[in-house]
Every structure is written in structure tokens, then in C-alpha cells.
Amino acid sequence: MTEHSPEELVAEVRRWWSTGIIDVRPGEIALRGYPIQELIGDASLVETIWLMLRGELPTRAEAALLEAAMVASVDHGPQAPSIAIGRMAVTCGSPINAAMASAINVLDDVHGGAGQQCMELYLEIDGERDRSGGLDTAVGLVLQRRREAGLNYVPGFGHRLHPLDPRTPRLLALVDSGAAAGVVDGRFAAIGRAVEVALSTGKAARVPMNIDGATAVVYCELGLRPELGRGVFVLARSIGILAHAAEQLAQGGRIKGPTPKSVRYTYTGPARRPVPRDRDARRSPL
């Protein structure tokens, strides 16, 4: 074992964790270099989220666009699996923090990951546009590659409940206003709309952009990385999870499952049958 001087050991310990996010000393706290007491009362929560993730404070217009996307993602009803899990956890005796953690933990690739996946799609199209020189060509090439790879689901488009997601037009209008004011350039709004046109061409009904596609436009326009787009969605949805868990706590209830006791699940196994007495002579199906 290599011998180290006390000074070398202290230096190694100090190097063990390094961060450019926060500097905490006795009587001092600074986020990305800004004293916390100057941020308090001046920077909004959304501006602070931007600061923590991006390293610098946003303009007021950038923060407003980020906030709009987060507001749009706060909740989608108790039928959403994550919300339902949070509520059921409370009825099983879990405290608020455990209920929130249980709900957040299911916001994975299938439920909660479409926004990140749509951002990745938009960025792939954006890169292809730079190579091929045309937006419609780029969209066609990328969607064709997805089909050839067996990926028939396009994240961010279509909705099982809403013929037209009511959140999408409002968010796109805000992006358009931001592009007109020079806050964003509108590049990804154009990509999202081009994907919608491509997916709807030849279909009997339009395949509209949903909330995941719209927030993906916003987050790409603001320069977030795809994984941060998912993280910001989780932050927003955690507000709805908290509200539902608190409501369920106030309503009470004990061990509530997915459906009322009066509504039975569907059983698909064998019909009732006697237990065989000659089990030793029977071959196990396993």
C-alpha cells in the first residue's frame, strides 16, 4: 500500500467529489457562483432550475417558455399509472415521500419516456437535414429508417384519449411567438410539424402531435439535452403526483387497488377442477 502524507490524503479526499453546481462554506451558499441570498426573491423556481441544469440564468422569455412546458406536464388524471400508483401507495400506509417515489419510479421508457425519445427523434432529423439539405427529405429518411428497424411507434404523436391534445396548440403558439421575438429560432417547431404532416399523409385521420411532441419542441428549442428533457418532465409531473397523494391522504381509504371490489378482473385460467390423486403418475408440464 502506497504511503501518503496527511496533506496528500486530505487533497485526495477533497478531489473525491467535485462539482461546479454549488459552493457551500460556513455562512455561505452559492449556486453556480450566485449567492443564494441574492437569488431568493429575485430568481423564480423555473429560473433556478435552468441555472442548476445549464449553469447560467435564463432570460425572462426563456424561463417563461420552459415554465409553460412544465405547467402543461403537471398532471393527466388519476388514470395515469404514475398518479394511480401514488394514490394507491398512500392507501397502503406509505408516507408522502414514499408515495411520490413509488410513482416517479415508473416514469420510465414506456410511461414517461416519450418526451425524451421524441427529442432524440427531432435531433436525428435535424442532423439529417444538415446532411440532406431539406426538411421533408430528412423527415422521410429518418422515419423510413425507423420503420426498417421495426420501430412502428413514433413518440410524441397520436393520443389514446385526445383527438387533439389541447396542450399542443398553445405550446406551439408560444414557441412561434418566441421565434418571432428571437427567443428561439423555431427550427424544432418546424421539424415537429413536418413529422405530423408525414405521419398523417395517406391516413384517414390526422395523427396529431401530443404533449410529449410539443414539450420536446420546447426543450429542443431551449437547448436541453434529451435526458434533461425527461428530468424536467419528471419534476413537473411530481407536482401532480404530490397533489394526488395529498388528496388521497385527506380522503382516506385503505388498501385501494386499481379497481373497486365490485368490479372483478378477468380470469383466463382453467375451469374449476378436482385435485388429482395420482399426481406421482402424472408428468409435470414444466
Side-chain angles (χ1 to χ4, degrees):
M1 181 176 180
T2 305
E3 293 295 329
H4 295 284
S5 69
E7 293 79 11
E8 289 172 331
L9 286 173
V10 170
E12 183 177 356
V13 171
R14 288 176 61 85
R15 288 193 301 269
W16 185 251
W17 292 118
S18 64
T19 178
I21 298 172
I22 188 168
D23 187 17
V24 181
R25 305 168 187 241
E28 298 180 16
I29 304 172
L31 303 181
R32 302 286 193 181
Y34 294 109
I36 190 68
Q37 64 270 24
E38 295 183 22
L39 293 170
I40 295 171
D42 184 54
S44 69
L45 177 59
V46 170
E47 289 173 323
T48 305
I49 290 170
W50 181 296
L51 172 65
M52 295 292 281
L53 298 180
R54 303 290 297 278
E56 193 48 84
L57 286 166
T59 67
R60 302 292 185 183
E62 289 171 331
L65 195 51
L66 176 60
E67 184 173 32
M70 294 184 70
V71 167
S73 303
V74 161
D75 193 8
H76 198 241
Q79 79 285 350
S82 55
I83 301 291
I85 286 169
R87 297 189 73 120
M88 286 190 290
V90 166
T91 70
C92 294
S94 295
I96 285 288
N97 60 302
M100 292 182 69
S102 298
I104 289 169
N105 278 337
V106 300
L107 294 174
D108 210 318
D109 287 345
V110 174
H111 174 47
Q116 175 180 348
Q117 294 156 10
C118 191
M119 289 178 72
E120 293 166 348
L121 172 67
Y122 290 165
L123 289 168
E124 183 179 354
I125 291 171
D126 194 42
E128 186 64 53
R129 174 167 59 179
D130 290 340
R131 290 187 294 271
S132 63
L135 176 54
D136 292 340
T137 300
V139 169
L141 288 171
V142 171
L143 292 180
Q144 181 61 31
R145 280 202 297 264
R146 291 180 61 87
R147 286 191 291 269
E148 291 173 352
L151 302 174
N152 296 318
Y153 164 68
V154 179
F157 295 85
H159 203 287
R160 59 183 178 175
L161 177 63
H162 304 297
L164 174 62
D165 194 316
R167 299 162 290 187
T168 298
R170 176 60 175 158
L171 284 179
L172 291 181
L174 290 173
V175 172
D176 291 342
S177 296
V183 179
V184 294
D185 64 16
R187 186 179 186 91
F188 291 96
I191 289 174
R193 287 178 167 123
V195 172
E196 182 178 84
V197 169
L199 293 176
S200 301
T201 299
K203 299 289 196 309
R206 177 184 172 194
V207 182
M209 187 187 305
N210 61 33
I211 182 59
D212 297 308
T215 53
V217 166
V218 174
Y219 297 148
C220 283
E221 292 282 357
L222 294 175
L224 291 180
R225 300 194 308 273
E227 63 272 16
L228 291 183
R230 184 189 299 210
V232 169
F233 164 74
V234 172
L235 283 176
R237 183 53 60 89
S238 68
I239 299 168
I241 292 168
L242 172 59
H244 279 274
E247 181 181 63
Q248 188 63 59
L249 189 62
Q251 289 177 355
R254 180 178 171 83
I255 315 178
K256 292 183 72 171
T259 59
K261 294 179 182 178
S262 59
V263 180
R264 285 187 52 80
Y265 55 85
T266 301
Y267 174 70
T268 59
R272 297 297 175 92
R273 50 185 175 166
V275 176
R277 300 301 178 187
D278 58 343
R279 290 195 296 275
D280 290 339
R282 294 168 59 90
R283 293 185 61 185
S284 171
L286 302 179

